[in-house]
Amino acid sequence: MPADEAVRAALAGVAPEPGAAKPDPILVVDDVTRAFGGLKAVDVAHLEIQRGAITGLIGPNGAGKTTLFNLLTGFDRPGSGRWRFDGRPLHGLAPHRVARRGVVRTFQLTKALAKLSVLDNMRLGAPKQTGESFFGALLTPWGRQEKANTEKAHELLVRFQLDAKADDLAGSLSGGQRKLLEMARALMMDPTVIMLDEPMAGVNPALTESLLRHVKSLRDDGMTVVFVEHDMDVIRDISDWVVVMAQGTVIAEGPPEALSSNKDVVDAYLGAHHDRALEFDAEGNPIGETAELVTEMESVELGVDPSQTPTAQSVGLDRPDRGERT
Amino acid sequence: MRPPGRGRPGDPGPPRRPVRLLLTILIPAAALLGLAAPALAGAVVPAVTQETIPVDGTLRNADGTFLSGVTVEALDSGGRQVDQTRTDAQGRWELAVPAAGTYTFRIDPESLPPGTELLQGEVTRDIAEDRLSVVIFRFGEEGEGLDTSTASQVLRLLVDGIRFGLVIAITAVGLSLIFGTTGLTNFSHGEIVTIGAVLAWTVNVTLGVQLIWATLIAIVLGAGFGALNELGLWRPLRRRRVGLIAQLVVSIGLGIALRYAVLIFFGGRSEPFVDYTSQIARSYGPIALTDKDLTTIIVSIAVMIGIALLLQRTRIGKAMRAVADNRDLAASSGIDVDRVVLFVWMLGGGLATLGGVLFALSELSSTVYWEMGFRLLLLMFAGVILGGLGTAYGALLGCLIVGVVVQLSTLVLPVDLKYMGGLAVLIVILVFRPQGLLGSRARIG
Amino acid sequence: MIDFSVLLTNSLAQLVGTSAVFYALLALGLNVHFGYTGLLNFGQIGFALVGGYGMGIAVTRFGFPLWGGVLFGMACGAALGVLLGIPTLRLRADYLAIVTIAAAEILRLVTRSTSQTDLTGGTQGLTGYADAFTAANPFDRPEYSYLGVGFVRTELWAICAGWTAVALCVLLLWLIVRSPWGRVLKAIREDEDAARALGKNVFAYKIQSLVLGGVMGALGGIFYALSVQSLTPDFWSPPQTFFAYCALILGGAGRVLGPVIGAMLFWAFLSFADGLLRQATGGTDPLIGFIDTQDVGAIRFVLVGIFLVLLMVYRPQGIFGNRREMTLDAR
């Protein structure tokens, strides 16, 4: 039985409701909260992620998806909460330890290392390099390991159609190619769970198809994939299971087909369900308190203080030019 | 022919204005290497000079008043007197020693005004030919020095600390607001303080305007200087999208250039204002304050309240807070960010000037010197970080703490280490509360 | 009249002189910090100070042999790196800048404090630690001349020892930045969150970087202390760090040889400007009358400041750098 059918079969018996128990969960999240100022950005009571499945995490802007990602991967500290990976607690670990355990993430704003070559970006991903310790670099023959890593990198680059660019600086790649590079680089770590933060955002539509294929192939290789997306069509296409967030909480779960008929989900997207109204202008950009919340959450994602974010480009929001301060 | 005087890493620092450097060639470089002092690299050291080397200093009592008519003598290593002089009305003295070497400089205790307590009246120094040699004697508290109780000493230091903290805060508000609105960590802010004080000094001493008016004129000029900074450098740099770290390095370069430009035009000495140079302390219950100290405190508090009202009540103040809070949001809600930033620079420049004058009056015995702002800069940073970078009220609180710590630290630390306490607080706070006392919790990096 | 032959030979001597060595060592360390890891250390002179004084104190006060003093000085540099790194390396870049410059000032204040005279010599300084270094001088003629540039034997000995130290540092850097270790450093410079997401312990690497560059700075201080044979506290003041930054940025940050070439050129240029100004302003009938010769030292600092601003704005990649690869526009 192909991987996708097997996964769907396993999930067939799961009740489509928030916090539903899965037959073989690899990630189990309990009572996670994170507040910015007085605003609760994340408040998830219980969530399980099925092993070997592609789980889509969707929700409107400001729903707390990226914040949840940051929390689970150690990039942000929760107000409270526990989560286990393969039965072992993962909370409280520094990001690099989370990654070494096998839970590897990508970022909404690609973090291709612009002034390193594509190949160096890839080699950086390889785990347990003896040449990465100071004395190891000077005193051990790390050349052989480097060669093996380079070969592995080349194979992955071929798979992601980046082999021709191997010696270029990563900064010269297009937005879509950077997404591919980031995904390929994450695979250098042989992850068990790969968490993709909006892999399709800002990607040329022509590349979307191939990106989706790559995401599916990750599952077919036995990895568990969790990805954030706000485009419902993309989700429907490739997810085995979908988790819907709004205002920081999980409001619905289920197989993708079941969601378009779910009233809560529709309400969340149309904004009819809010106790604390999220405000958006005509173009869907957040305004007022909502915008502040979003900025704050983004800046946490970027690891800087909001008042002096020198970063261009907002995250997942097409806000007007933020230039000037770079 | 051998090129002269090379091979010495450069002279960094304080105003050792090379005294009578002659363009002579040659001194056996072996001898040169043996000298104690780092020569100005590339500078030329006088050849086998027979000229005398001046050594000078200023005698100032612990309360800051100058000691005039005091006898100072220089003895060579064999104990022979080589020169002798008396201090002038400004407490200044200058002696000449015949050649480089080790000399002992001594004050004749008999010539001191009665009641003056001499802590260190004899100093032995290596005198080199190529640097300015200043000898400092230390004096203790006049009269009361020994019998004050610890409690009253703590109280006095506390008041001194609050005064000093207020002065730091006045200068640092601009630094904090500029950081808040533009993200610039401005290492040249100390020079705005110095230049402000120098402007006030110039108007006061050269033009003969009474110091209060001179200060007001200087504040206007200082605000103009702030505007010049913004319009002439920082706004164009932001337009060019120069990164924040690059801007930080630029501010360091600007700071060096301005600091030494002040040295060139103002000179390396401490120059006193015409007014308020020596005042007698009045008693207010257990504490004693000079009028200028009291004025410093009152003016600082009044200005701080003014700033608070400005931030809370006025349109421009609210706009400043909005920009500091979230620049893009402010811009998109119709605030002219450039105008607000310009205003912040002018405000910062004016406040730095006022702070510079108050700093000179209350901490430097009413004198101005070229490096005063730079010396204050690190304490400003300490205060601003302590309170939370970019928050105006945090800056006030943090600076007060730094001022008090600096003064109280003299209880346990030697006086020449008192600034160390303020800087140490900075490091300690970063360990335990990196976002500052009033900063909100957010991951910083 | 201006004597250009003197100016040129003087500048030529500065290309390889002790100043160039001193700033090259400082800038090599800064290159590890700033050029490769993106750390803003503005207190490099503090590392040099603990190196120089560490050695001087170990030898004169505790009777270490010279080599022991040198090792102790380097260890002091390493310890300062750890000490400064722990509170600041998790914070934003400019916090490190402020803390390092503050720490360097604290160190200078402490060494010059009269309370420390027994240990550091206070404002009178420290001497008498360099005898073994002087005694080891293999040059026996009083003076040597190469290409019209003369060197006194003590100076030549210092220069040779200094450039050997520089060469060793360059070799070490060349080896290490090409290794996977160096790759991680560069990744941290580019985006430390990306490095974290790939399982790299960013904090540990930053500490290592701070220590490695700090030891090079300490080596610079040790070299300076040996070449002038006396330590005075006010030499170790903040502008020295900024000079080293000028040298680094001039030569190109993030290149192995950048800081060395930068230090040589920077110092040669500075001494040329200095000599020119002195000749133009000095003498009985100065070419430029309105500037006092004694202001030349200060004018030099003004020039350095302006130079740093212009370099940062127009050529942040250094004179040989390529804008595409430039590393200084981080964040």
Side-chain angles (χ1 to χ4, degrees):
Chain A
M1 189 158 50
D4 56 337
E5 286 173 30
V7 169
R8 300 251 169 161
L11 288 169
V14 176
E17 57 190 30
K22 309 292 184 306
D24 183 12
I26 189 163
L27 261 177
V28 181
V29 179
D30 279 303
D31 303 317
V32 174
T33 61
R34 172 72 165 105
F36 295 106
L39 301 169
K40 255 196 179 153
V42 166
D43 186 2
V44 173
H46 187 77
L47 178 65
E48 295 184 2
I49 305 288
Q50 170 73 6
R51 184 189 308 273
I54 298 179
T55 303
L57 188 57
I58 64 165
N61 288 325
K65 303 169 302 231
T66 296
T67 312
L68 182 62
F69 254 46
N70 288 341
L71 293 171
L72 296 185
T73 50
F75 279 83
D76 193 7
R77 293 239 180 104
S80 66
R82 304 173 306 280
W83 53 97
R84 278 168 293 142
F85 164 66
D86 244 353
R88 295 169 71 194
L90 203 62
H91 47 84
L93 287 189
H96 67 274
R97 295 199 183 279
V98 175
R100 288 181 193 171
R101 288 273 179 93
V103 179
V104 177
R105 71 171 296 182
T106 66
F107 294 87
Q108 205 163 8
L109 276 175
T110 49
K111 291 188 185 291
L113 304 164
K115 281 149 206 155
L116 267 58
S117 73
V118 168
L119 192 58
D120 269 342
N121 263 275
M122 294 295 291
R123 289 193 284 220
L124 184 72
K128 298 193 181 104
Q129 301 186 44
T130 52
E132 281 192 354
S133 80
F134 181 78
F135 293 107
L138 290 175
L139 305 175
T140 64
W142 43 266
R144 181 186 296 199
Q145 198 184 22
E146 182 84 346
K147 210 171 153 206
N149 287 338
T150 307
E151 269 166 33
K152 183 175 168 191
H154 272 297
E155 281 165 24
L156 279 167
L157 286 177
V158 170
R159 172 171 163 191
F160 283 84
Q161 286 111 41
L162 288 169
D163 44 324
K165 301 267 183 188
D167 295 323
D168 293 9
L169 291 185
S172 67
L173 298 183
S174 74
Q177 286 172 325
R178 288 182 198 206
K179 291 269 182 197
L180 287 172
L181 172 60
E182 216 180 338
M183 215 184 284
R185 194 176 62 190
L187 292 188
M188 285 294 289
M189 298 192 72
D190 301 318
T192 315
V193 175
I194 183 162
M195 304 184 74
L196 308 170
D197 198 349
E198 301 221 12
M200 317 302 162
V203 173
N204 176 352
L207 258 174
T208 315
E209 259 319 297
S210 103
L211 259 167
L212 289 179
R213 245 192 350 265
H214 284 303
V215 174
K216 280 187 195 166
S217 73
L218 300 182
R219 174 198 51 200
D220 300 341
D221 290 350
M223 275 170 257
T224 304
V225 181
V226 184
F227 74 106
V228 163
E229 184 55 66
H230 57 230
D231 185 340
M232 290 278 257
D233 295 331
V234 171
I235 294 265
R236 194 173 295 125
D237 202 30
I238 63 166
S239 313
D240 299 315
W241 191 261
V242 178
V243 175
V244 187
M245 286 184 75
Q247 299 165 70
T249 60
V250 176
I251 57 163
E253 269 191 59
E257 310 78 42
L259 284 177
S260 36
S261 55
N262 184 316
K263 184 175 173 304
D264 287 342
V265 177
V266 176
D267 281 352
Y269 269 85
L270 297 180
H273 186 69
H274 303 294
D275 327 325
R276 185 195 71 227
L278 292 172
E279 303 166 87
F280 298 93
D281 65 14
E283 283 131 27
N285 299 321
I287 52 174
E289 216 170 62
T290 312
E292 284 175 31
L293 175 66
V294 170
T295 320
E296 206 170 344
M297 296 194 318
E298 285 164 9
S299 46
V300 166
E301 197 263 329
L302 297 166
V304 287
D305 199 281
S307 51
Q308 55 269 345
T309 315
T311 329
Q313 295 293 308
S314 58
V315 182
L317 307 160
D318 300 309
R319 243 197 278 131
D321 179 28
R322 302 177 69 181
E324 272 217 341
R325 60 170 61 177
T326 23
Chain B
M1 193 174 66
R2 177 145 34 84
R6 50 186 195 274
R8 211 55 72 77
D11 163 6
R16 39 184 88 121
R17 313 185 69 190
V19 183
R20 257 163 274 167
L21 278 179
L22 292 181
L23 227 204
T24 13
I25 308 168
L26 290 210
I27 177 167
L32 208 159
L33 280 167
L35 288 180
L40 281 164
V44 180
V45 177
V48 208
T49 176
Q50 290 310 316
E51 285 185 59
T52 57
I53 303 166
V55 179
D56 62 14
T58 300
L59 296 191
R60 197 180 283 167
N61 206 345
D63 61 1
T65 53
F66 298 112
L67 295 168
S68 59
V70 179
T71 306
V72 184
E73 59 180 352
L75 309 173
D76 68 13
S77 48
R80 286 177 295 271
Q81 188 187 70
V82 292
D83 200 5
Q84 184 186 15
T85 187
R86 288 169 85 83
T87 56
D88 64 13
Q90 300 294 325
R92 222 170 256 172
W93 57 269
E94 180 167 337
L95 290 172
V97 297
T102 306
Y103 294 90
T104 301
F105 299 88
R106 197 161 72 186
I107 284 182
D108 178 6
E110 299 293 305
S111 63
L112 287 170
T116 313
E117 191 194 337
L118 187 58
L119 286 185
Q120 187 186 15
E122 201 173 290
V123 176
T124 303
R125 283 281 298 273
D126 286 334
I127 301 300
E129 293 169 65
D130 54 345
R131 58 171 179 172
L132 185 72
S133 299
V134 178
V135 173
I136 294 160
F137 299 98
R138 296 195 301 136
F139 297 92
E141 286 300 324
E142 198 167 354
E144 53 174 340
L146 290 171
D147 50 65
T148 32
S149 67
T150 315
S152 75
Q153 201 182 356
V154 169
L155 187 65
R156 182 174 55 82
L157 289 175
L158 197 65
V159 173
D160 283 355
I162 289 169
R163 183 194 67 205
F164 189 33
L166 283 167
V167 170
I168 302 174
I170 297 256
T171 53
V173 167
L175 184 72
S176 187
L177 284 174
I178 288 164
F179 177 85
T181 48
T182 66
L184 169 68
T185 311
N186 184 14
F187 273 81
S188 61
H189 196 76
E191 275 55 59
I192 304 181
V193 174
T194 310
I195 288 172
V198 167
L199 287 170
W201 180 88
T202 309
V203 176
N204 179 235
V205 174
T206 314
L207 304 181
V209 179
Q210 207 276 342
L211 187 59
I212 293 175
W213 298 110
T215 304
L216 291 175
I217 293 169
I219 288 173
V220 174
L221 295 174
F225 182 64
L228 190 70
N229 265 275
E230 159 69 3
L231 297 178
L233 182 63
W234 302 110
R235 185 179 293 180
L237 287 190
R238 287 198 303 275
R239 293 266 151 82
R240 283 177 64 101
R241 293 169 178 265
V242 172
L244 285 176
I245 286 177
Q247 286 186 32
L248 189 160
V249 178
V250 167
S251 82
I252 284 184
L254 178 70
I256 300 178
L258 289 176
R259 190 153 68 247
Y260 286 90
V262 170
L263 174 61
I264 292 169
F265 293 108
F266 184 74
R269 286 181 183 280
S270 291
E271 303 286 353
F273 288 123
V274 173
D275 311 284
Y276 314 124
T277 45
S278 57
Q279 288 186 340
I280 299 159
R282 296 171 203 274
S283 290
Y284 299 88
I287 51 170
L289 287 173
T290 58
D291 287 352
K292 65 183 183 189
D293 286 346
L294 190 63
T295 313
T296 299
I297 293 176
I298 293 170
V299 168
S300 305
I301 292 175
V303 168
M304 281 298 163
I305 292 172
I307 294 167
L309 289 176
L310 178 86
L311 285 173
Q312 295 299 340
R313 298 287 169 79
T314 63
R315 234 182 111 75
I316 186 81
K318 286 175 188 165
M320 276 158 55
R321 281 192 297 147
V323 173
D325 225 31
N326 186 331
R327 191 186 164 93
D328 306 310
L329 200 62
S332 60
S333 50
I335 292 172
D336 182 347
V337 172
D338 270 346
R339 210 177 66 101
V340 172
V341 170
L342 179 62
F343 182 81
V344 166
W345 269 99
M346 293 176 66
L347 182 69
L351 287 173
T353 304
L354 174 64
V357 174
L358 294 178
F359 179 47
L361 280 176
S362 64
E363 303 295 326
L364 303 175
S365 311
S366 304
T367 63
V368 172
Y369 82 109
W370 67 288
E371 233 183 350
M372 57 186 278
F374 185 67
R375 291 276 161 254
L376 202 57
L377 180 70
L378 290 174
L379 293 180
M380 287 192 250
F381 273 129
V384 165
I385 289 179
L386 192 59
L389 258 176
T391 61
Y393 301 119
L396 171 62
L397 181 66
C399 291
L400 275 176
I401 293 173
V402 167
V404 170
V405 168
V406 165
Q407 298 292 358
L408 285 183
S409 70
T410 57
L411 286 174
V412 286
L413 290 177
V415 177
D416 55 1
L417 285 181
K418 70 175 181 181
Y419 283 10
M420 198 189 92
L423 299 181
V425 169
L426 165 68
I427 295 175
V428 171
I429 199 77
L430 283 177
V431 179
F432 295 106
R433 209 182 146 81
Q435 72 273 31
L437 296 173
L438 296 190
S440 59
R441 178 190 167 222
R443 241 186 90 244
I444 306 201
Chain C
M1 233 7 258
I2 290 179
D3 186 346
F4 278 98
S5 71
V6 172
L7 282 180
L8 282 176
T9 39
N10 193 8
S11 307
L12 208 60
Q14 290 295 337
L15 271 181
V16 294
T18 49
S19 301
V21 175
F22 176 64
Y23 292 105
L25 286 169
L26 255 57
L28 276 167
L30 286 180
N31 200 23
V32 178
H33 296 154
F34 182 56
Y36 287 104
T37 327
L39 300 174
L40 276 175
N41 168 17
F42 278 115
Q44 182 72 340
I45 193 62
F47 287 91
L49 185 151
V50 295
Y53 269 94
M55 176 197 65
I57 290 170
V59 172
T60 57
R61 310 287 195 234
F62 301 114
F64 279 45
L66 183 64
W67 61 267
V70 170
L71 286 183
F72 183 74
M74 290 166 71
C76 288
L80 183 64
V82 175
L83 222 60
L84 289 184
I86 288 171
T88 52
L89 287 179
R90 295 175 203 275
L91 309 176
R92 257 197 352 252
D94 38 2
Y95 281 89
L96 179 67
I98 294 167
V99 167
T100 47
I101 195 174
E105 271 296 85
I106 290 179
L107 286 167
R108 187 178 69 87
L109 290 174
V110 171
T111 47
R112 77 192 302 278
S113 167
T114 45
S115 62
Q116 302 299 317
T117 307
D118 289 345
L119 196 63
T120 64
T123 48
Q124 296 170 35
L126 199 61
T127 50
Y129 49 79
D131 302 344
F133 181 72
T134 318
N137 191 342
F139 301 101
D140 42 11
R141 293 214 312 265
E143 193 182 322
Y144 292 78
S145 182
Y146 304 100
L147 301 170
V149 185
F151 295 98
V152 193
R153 65 185 282 266
T154 47
E155 192 187 12
L156 191 60
W157 171 219
I159 288 174
C160 289
W163 283 109
T164 310
V166 171
L168 288 175
C169 288
V170 166
L171 180 69
L172 176 69
L173 274 182
W174 183 75
L175 285 172
I176 197 85
V177 300
R178 290 164 66 255
S179 73
W181 187 83
R183 189 163 59 216
V184 179
L185 285 200
K186 288 181 232 170
I188 291 170
R189 176 191 73 199
E190 296 295 309
D191 192 321
E192 55 181 78
D193 276 346
R196 284 196 183 94
L198 294 171
K200 314 303 175 201
N201 185 351
V202 170
F203 182 69
Y205 281 97
K206 283 182 171 179
I207 291 268
Q208 290 171 28
S209 161
L210 204 58
V211 166
L212 178 63
V215 168
M216 290 182 185
L219 212 51
I222 291 169
F223 165 76
Y224 171 79
L226 288 176
S227 73
V228 301
Q229 318 208 346
S230 89
L231 288 160
T232 42
D234 286 337
F235 169 78
W236 316 85
S237 64
Q240 302 286 29
T241 305
F242 307 152
F243 279 15
Y245 263 95
C246 282
L248 171 64
I249 295 167
L250 182 68
R255 299 157 180 280
V256 172
L257 277 176
V260 178
I261 293 167
M264 293 169 73
L265 291 181
F266 176 72
W267 210 254
F269 160 77
L270 214 58
S271 95
F272 184 83
D274 191 68
L276 191 67
L277 278 168
R278 275 177 206 285
Q279 290 207 13
T281 57
T284 45
D285 179 25
L287 201 63
I288 306 171
F290 61 91
I291 299 177
D292 200 328
T293 308
Q294 63 179 346
D295 284 332
V296 167
I299 291 173
R300 201 177 54 166
F301 281 93
V302 175
L303 289 178
V304 170
I306 294 170
F307 181 68
L308 187 57
V309 171
L310 294 178
L311 204 58
M312 218 49 229
V313 175
Y314 294 104
R315 277 201 82 79
Q317 72 276 36
I319 38 176
F320 307 114
N322 159 348
R323 200 160 183 119
R324 203 170 60 112
E325 291 178 18
M326 72 181 231
T327 56
L328 302 177
D329 58 351
R331 299 275 177 108

